[in-house]
Amino acid sequence: AAAAPDGRLWIVYEYVDSSTEEIVARLGDHNGAGGTSTVLSPPTPGGVAFDGTALSTSGGLVIAMNFAASIRKVTDSELWGTVLPQT
């Protein structure tokens, strides 16, 4: 989670089930809830996300995460990042 300059809250999480794997970012509304989800594809299909962070800037949300091919090979990870513009 990261606080936006206007006081709203960004929430970022990875959602995984048997058929779906995605990174979801949501900027809450002015009441602290709601907001529209932005869905991003992880860089490594079937990978494991760990050590993620989110940083809110005046231009939007910066998301950075480490992804590993499997939970047993976290030393072979890659860094992934993106910027979501604030709306």
Side-chain angles (χ1 to χ4, degrees), residues 14 21 41-48 67-70 78:
E14 183 182 26
E21 181 178 8
S41 297
T44 306
V48 178
F67 275 85
S70 76
E78 61 184 54

Side-chain angles (χ1 to χ4, degrees), residues 55-73:
L55 173 67
S56 183
T57 69
S58 59
L61 181 70
V62 178
I63 303 169
M65 295 178 158
N66 280 321
F67 275 85
S70 76
I71 194 70
R72 298 175 199 264
K73 298 187 91 178

Side-chain angles (χ1 to χ4, degrees), residues 17-62:
D17 67 19
S18 61
S19 62
T20 305
E21 181 178 8
E22 58 196 21
I23 299 162
V24 180
R26 180 180 290 189
L27 179 60
D29 62 22
H30 292 286
N31 294 317
T36 302
S37 293
T38 300
V39 178
L40 307 164
S41 297
T44 306
V48 178
F50 65 99
D51 292 338
T53 191
L55 173 67
S56 183
T57 69
S58 59
L61 181 70
V62 178

